[in-house]
Amino acid sequence: MTVENRIAAVVQKYLDGVARDDGELVCSAFHSGAVMTGHFNGEYLVVPNAGQFIADFMDNSPPISESSPNLTSSIDSIEVAGTMARVAVSENGLEGADFTTYFNLHEVDGEWCIATKATYAHA
């Protein structure tokens, strides 16, 4: 498997976890020290323990099938530099918004994981 395929597989775990309402799968894509940044309800936030935060949010929200019945997602690009990578993702129809997200990944102990998630909801 190529490096790009290994990286895409990690990001796809996140996307599949969101689509399936599987917080555990989402969390498994992230490093335990990962952070998420973005503007949420008009406020800029830096969220520690991003994977668990997202999983907990999902556990306390209506199912994706109800809140986002037309959700589509795609991996738009992957850039690799040694043991780090940047992946651009589009998520459309997620809770009524279209998102552009940039994931930064690192290879840690031979496994790729998401280290940061920066997200933007298009108006």
Side-chain angles (χ1 to χ4, degrees):
M1 184 181 294
T2 68
V3 170
E4 288 83 1
N5 288 344
R6 290 177 57 215
I7 293 164
V10 172
V11 174
Q12 193 63 51
K13 274 201 292 191
Y14 164 84
L15 296 173
D16 290 346
V18 170
R20 296 178 191 156
D21 242 350
D22 185 341
E24 188 174 314
L25 184 60
V26 167
C27 193
S28 73
F30 286 83
H31 185 274
S32 61
V35 298
M36 177 174 67
T37 62
H39 288 87
F40 304 95
N41 297 320
E43 182 180 354
Y44 176 73
L45 296 175
V46 176
V47 180
N49 199 6
Q52 190 61 55
F53 176 86
I54 296 166
D56 291 345
F57 177 84
M58 291 172 66
D59 287 345
N60 294 301
S61 299
I64 286 291
S65 60
E66 292 176 16
S67 67
S68 308
N70 299 314
L71 173 64
T72 61
S73 58
S74 63
I75 295 173
D76 300 328
S77 66
I78 298 174
E79 297 175 35
V80 182
T83 58
M84 68 176 188
R86 182 179 78 95
V87 179
V89 168
S90 296
E91 293 174 286
N92 298 312
L94 179 59
E95 298 190 357
D98 295 338
F99 290 86
T100 297
T101 297
Y102 297 119
F103 290 104
N104 288 311
L105 291 86
H106 286 275
E107 186 179 27
V108 179
D109 298 327
E111 299 293 325
W112 287 91
C113 56
I114 298 170
T116 64
K117 175 187 181 199
T119 194
Y120 175 75
H122 301 271

